[in-house]
Amino acid sequence: DAGVTQSPTHLIKTRGQQVTLRCSPKSGHDTVSWYQQALGQGPQFIFQYYEEEERQRGNFPDRFSGHQFPNYSSELNVNALLLGDSALYLCASSWDRGSGGSYNSPLHFGNGTRLTVT
Amino acid sequence: RKEVEQDPGPFNVPEGATVAFNCTYSNSASQSFFWYRQDCRKEPKLLMSVYSSGNEDGRFTAQLNRASQYISLLIRDSKLSDSATYLCVVSVKGGSNYKLTFGKGTLLTVNP
């Protein structure tokens, strides 16, 4: 039973470029959340996708966008990269069970994508 | 005030010691509570959920005080393998949906 998988594992980009990160949720999970974790900080919530729609969003600018596909996999896109976007990007999946977003099911995280912006 | 605040740490303890982590949250409507651990350069992993009546899993005990909006994690007889960052996690309601909000984490190093 595959867990959450993310690709790529590492990425180096230049300021102003655009990047796309990918995530496949754990088998049986239908909800995908994305987090940004800067060095020495806890993960910061970016947004969550359920049924191919963005259901909840954190305090991140519109440069951060995402998508969820019918097979529940998800992408995170970041445009006009800044040096401050350098971080570990974590994808986490969970099973909403049609509960309308109540968070009683914990998150399962992927290994993350380490993005470096130079 | 931050949504979730933890002891800043780091904590350095000898093997066999008992160590306690504290966490407070600001949103009284928070619904679910968890402790995650994160090893260096790895992803966070669920350690345990926290229930209102308190719960125990082997050497680990979690407590929740809703009135004080306070969560704790106690590790007894600490092992070298317990060395990690411990993250306090709270589900916070935003609109009609919830999101999990993480504290900054507290680094624990258990020394031989």
Side-chain angles (χ1 to χ4, degrees), chain A residues 18-21 47 63-67 75-79:
Chain A
Q18 178 265 344
V19 67
T20 297
L21 311 181
F47 42 52
R63 297 187 298 109
F64 289 77
S65 63
H67 189 77
E75 287 183 350
L76 164 64
N77 300 292
V78 187
N79 295 322

Side-chain angles (χ1 to χ4, degrees), chain A residues 35 37 40-43 45 55-56 100-104 106-107 109-111 114, chain B residues 31-32 34 36 38 41 43-44 46 87 91 94 96-100 102-104:
Chain A
Y35 287 80
Q37 187 174 25
Q41 302 295 317
F45 177 77
R55 182 164 67 180
Q56 182 78 276
S102 61
Y103 258 107
N104 290 316
L107 299 176
F109 284 88
N111 293 332
R114 191 163 297 280
Chain B
Q31 184 183 54
S32 302
F34 308 93
Y36 279 70
Q38 186 172 24
R41 304 185 74 82
E43 75 278 16
L46 177 67
L87 297 158
S91 69
S96 58
N97 297 304
Y98 289 81
K99 63 180 174 74
L100 288 188
F102 286 73
K104 187 176 178 180

